[in-house]
Amino acid sequence: MSAIKGDRVKASISIRLPQQQTFDLFTAQIENWWKRGPRYRNSGATVGLIHIEPKLDGRLFESWSEGNAERAFEIGRVTQWEPHQAFAFTWRNSNFNNDEVTLVELNFEDCGETTMITVIHSGWAAIREDHPARHGLSVVAFQQLIGMWWGDQLTSLRRVSLSDQH
């Protein structure tokens, strides 16, 4: 079965850490590398927390303070959990309706001295073309935007991985 045009984006990066350590950095230390700001977090520039509950059906969520109120947003749920090899989670943008969801799949491939991380973010074809999350972009431009977004995230992960080596 072939993918629907505009349905998936793929990004990869090589990290100079063993597979287990790379997986743990991505999952258990997500707060240390996931970029901040309104482009990457629902909390925007506000200091908050992003966390993955390390289990099947675990939550991926953000929490932060807004004035005197504590806020939280569940981004998605873990749909696959294979420690040190692969995991996947549903992904909801903050302006998605309850029935709107995409899927992020991650694979951690042991390549000797490095680990190759591949991210596939799919399900976009089910999100209407005029949805605010698409920013009014054509399918190709939107795919490029999401690919660059994941590229920015993976580059941040690599930066943190390099500081962990010292």
Side-chain angles (χ1 to χ4, degrees), residues 16-88:
R16 192 172 290 281
L17 291 174
Q19 185 181 24
Q20 177 178 347
Q21 195 173 349
T22 302
F23 184 91
D24 292 344
L25 177 62
F26 193 104
T27 58
Q29 297 179 48
I30 191 170
E31 174 63 25
N32 295 335
W33 63 265
W34 194 274
K35 294 179 73 82
R36 296 186 182 279
R39 185 169 181 223
Y40 303 98
R41 297 198 186 200
N42 291 293
S43 62
T46 303
V47 174
L49 170 74
I50 189 166
H51 180 73
I52 298 172
E53 294 175 335
K55 62 183 180 178
L56 202 56
D57 201 38
R59 297 174 302 154
L60 168 60
F61 67 92
E62 287 184 66
S63 61
W64 67 96
S65 295
E66 199 170 273
N68 292 330
E70 294 297 316
R71 301 278 319 262
F73 178 73
E74 184 176 301
I75 298 163
R77 293 277 178 155
V78 175
T79 60
Q80 176 187 14
W81 187 258
E82 297 176 37
H84 313 132
Q85 296 177 8
F87 82 102

Side-chain angles (χ1 to χ4, degrees), residues 3-9 91 96 99-105 120-128 134 142:
I4 298 169
K5 183 178 179 183
D7 192 51
R8 58 187 270 168
V9 173
W91 175 274
F96 279 16
D99 63 336
E100 294 174 321
V101 66
T102 60
L103 179 66
V104 178
E105 300 168 275
I120 297 174
H121 194 159
S122 63
W124 292 104
I127 308 301
R128 69 181 199 273
R134 289 184 174 271
F142 181 70

Side-chain angles (χ1 to χ4, degrees), residues 97-149:
N97 292 326
N98 288 338
D99 63 336
E100 294 174 321
V101 66
T102 60
L103 179 66
V104 178
E105 300 168 275
L106 292 108
N107 184 52
F108 296 79
E109 181 184 352
D110 183 354
C111 298
E113 294 184 10
T114 64
T115 301
M116 177 67 69
I117 302 173
T118 302
V119 177
I120 297 174
H121 194 159
S122 63
W124 292 104
I127 308 301
R128 69 181 199 273
E129 288 185 29
D130 67 340
H131 194 286
R134 289 184 174 271
H135 306 285
L137 299 171
S138 70
V139 169
V140 171
F142 181 70
Q143 285 176 308
Q144 290 172 338
L145 175 76
I146 296 298
M148 289 171 44
W149 188 91

